């Protein structure tokens, strides 16, 4: 039972990342939030990295291509896209669109690994796609004619695609690294990539934004809970109960997110949220359920 509790907490913390990212979206730029999030995580991991630097360096020299790809996608890319999206879309919408990520994982698995997909799974992908489009158009189908939609929703789609590709490519994770070592080296790489973008966009390393208490407390939450504790809880529980069962807990994110968004952001669930969610949920059920039956 305790492992299921850990998974629930893990998903709850991840949902909070969407809400608090939206809360401070007007006070700190997306690239700043993404960079400083992982910069502080890296500082916390630094003692571990220094103790294990020899093994990390050996593996990095041998597997630098896949480690840079995974660090770029999982650390640098996903959260940056997410925070850009949260500037112009609601946390509720972002969480619902994010729930389509399993569909993108199936699509990339078919493309990269030539995984088989049957007609019902394909229909599931279609239903989820309709659900995402319905959410992007805010339930106003006539918007598709004049392309009147929120750019932020497209950033969230980019984040979903990024995370799906990262998840599929995890198959190539170097076996010489345990979970914490892998997290540490990809955090180091991802933070380095973010720093280059951070400097390129004209920012400098300064911490005056932390004088804003809302930013300070939100960043502290994002660093400790979604970044470190969720990672620990997810890996510990997944090892014990298996990836298939653990993966289903991600579908709790829209529920937790809607509650948190109502409390902290005063966002309300609209009718188009429910309709879009039904399409996405049904699509995920058809795609994943039937795929599991075949294996």
């Amino acid at each position: 039972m305790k492992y299921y509790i850990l998974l629930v907490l893990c998903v709850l913390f991840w949902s909070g990342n969407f809400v608090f990212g939206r809360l401070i979206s007007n006070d700190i730029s997306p690239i700043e939030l993404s960079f400083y999030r992982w910069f502080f995580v890296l500082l916390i991991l630094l003692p571990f990295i220094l103790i294990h630097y020899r093994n990390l360096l050996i593996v990095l020299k041998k597997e630098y291509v896949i480690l840079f790809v995974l660090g770029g996608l999982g650390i640098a890319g996903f959260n940056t896209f997410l925070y850009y999206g949260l500037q112009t879309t609601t946390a509720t919408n972002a969480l619902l669109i994010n729930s389509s990520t399993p569909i993108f994982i199936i699509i990339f698995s078919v493309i990269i690994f030539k995984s088989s997909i049957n007609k019902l799974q394909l229909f599931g992908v279609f239903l989820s796609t309709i659900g995402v489009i319905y959410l992007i158009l805010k339930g106003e189908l006539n918007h598709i004619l004049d392309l009147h939609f929120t750019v932020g929703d497209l950033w969230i789609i980019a984040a979903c695609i990024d995370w799906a590709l990262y998840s599929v490519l995890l198959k190539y994770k170097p076996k010489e690294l345990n979970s914490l070592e892998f997290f540490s080296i990809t955090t180091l790489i991802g933070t380095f990539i973010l720093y280059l973008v951070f400097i390129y966009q004209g920012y400098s390393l300064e911490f005056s934004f932390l004088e804003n208490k809302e930013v300070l407390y939100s960043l502290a939450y994002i660093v400790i809970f979604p970044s470190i504790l969720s990672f620990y809880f997810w890996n510990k529980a997944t090892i014990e109960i298996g990836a298939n069962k653990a993966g289903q807990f991600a579908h709790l994110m829209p529920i937790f997110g809607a509650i948190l968004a109502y409390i902290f952001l005063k966002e309300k669930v609209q009718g188009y949220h429910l309709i879009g969610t039904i399409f996405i949920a049904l699509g995920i059920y058809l795609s994943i359920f039937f795929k599991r039956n075949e294996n």
Side-chain angles (χ1 to χ4, degrees):
M1 176 60 69
K2 69 176 182 179
Y3 297 111
Y4 293 105
I5 295 175
L6 290 181
L7 284 170
V8 170
L9 289 174
C10 170
V11 174
L12 174 63
F13 297 156
W14 275 337
S15 302
N17 180 41
F18 285 72
V19 174
F20 285 102
R22 172 64 176 170
L23 180 67
I24 60 177
S25 60
N26 293 325
D27 301 307
I28 183 172
S29 72
I31 189 64
E32 285 181 295
L33 178 55
S34 190
F35 169 71
Y36 282 113
R37 169 188 178 170
W38 292 109
F39 173 78
F40 287 119
V41 172
L42 182 61
L43 288 183
I44 295 172
L45 292 173
L46 195 56
F48 177 84
I49 292 174
L50 293 176
I51 292 173
H52 298 273
Y53 80 93
R54 289 186 178 178
N55 183 49
L56 294 176
L57 191 59
I58 290 172
V59 178
L60 178 60
K61 287 181 178 178
K62 187 172 64 172
E63 303 283 358
Y64 65 91
V65 174
I66 188 60
L67 287 174
F68 266 85
V69 169
L70 293 174
L73 291 171
I75 303 298
F78 173 75
N79 290 284
T80 304
F81 296 153
L82 171 64
Y83 296 143
Y84 270 108
L86 289 172
Q87 286 193 310
T88 52
T89 194
T90 65
T92 301
N93 229 46
L95 281 155
L96 291 173
I97 294 173
N98 183 72
S99 66
S100 67
T101 300
I103 298 299
F104 288 110
I105 291 176
I106 290 174
I107 292 172
F108 280 124
S109 296
V110 171
I111 294 173
I112 297 174
F113 299 122
K114 309 302 181 185
S115 302
S116 60
I117 181 170
N118 60 36
K119 291 181 180 179
L120 279 172
Q121 286 178 293
L122 193 60
F123 183 59
V125 171
F126 172 75
L127 286 180
S128 284
T129 302
I130 294 297
V132 170
I133 292 174
Y134 195 80
L135 284 171
I136 291 175
L137 297 175
K138 306 294 186 291
E140 300 291 338
L141 298 181
N142 60 301
H143 286 177
I144 200 169
L145 300 177
D146 56 10
L147 298 180
H148 181 66
F149 47 74
T150 303
V151 174
D153 292 331
L154 299 184
W155 278 111
I156 303 302
I157 289 289
C160 294
I161 293 172
D162 177 292
W163 189 256
L165 184 57
Y166 168 80
S167 300
V168 170
L169 293 179
L170 273 177
K171 182 176 182 180
Y172 297 113
K173 180 185 82 68
K175 294 181 175 56
E176 300 92 334
L177 299 176
N178 62 36
S179 296
L180 187 54
E181 288 173 332
F182 174 72
F183 179 59
S184 298
I185 193 65
T186 51
T187 297
L188 177 62
I189 292 169
T191 306
F192 172 71
I193 294 172
L194 284 169
Y195 180 69
L196 294 180
V197 178
F198 179 81
I199 294 299
Y200 177 77
Q201 292 192 3
Y203 295 101
S204 58
L205 197 62
E206 54 86 22
F207 303 95
S208 60
F209 64 89
L210 295 179
E211 295 174 2
N212 183 325
K213 289 187 178 180
E214 200 168 72
V215 174
L216 174 62
Y217 295 148
S218 295
L219 186 59
Y221 168 86
I222 290 171
V223 167
I224 295 171
F225 293 94
S227 302
I228 296 175
L229 290 182
S230 283
F231 168 82
Y232 176 75
F233 291 165
W234 183 266
N235 283 277
K236 187 175 182 62
T238 301
I239 290 172
E240 296 295 329
I241 72 171
N244 284 340
K245 289 183 179 179
Q248 303 310 309
F249 279 78
H251 299 151
L252 293 173
M253 285 183 67
I255 300 173
F256 288 145
I259 295 172
L260 292 173
Y262 176 78
I263 295 172
F264 291 100
L265 303 175
K266 308 304 180 185
E267 292 182 6
K268 295 182 179 179
V269 176
Q270 306 293 336
Y272 69 83
H273 286 137
L274 298 177
I275 295 173
T277 300
I278 290 172
F279 276 100
I280 292 174
L282 184 57
I284 290 174
Y285 173 79
L286 289 175
S287 300
I288 296 177
F289 179 80
F290 284 97
K291 184 177 182 181
R292 281 167 47 189
N293 271 350
E294 290 178 350
N295 289 338

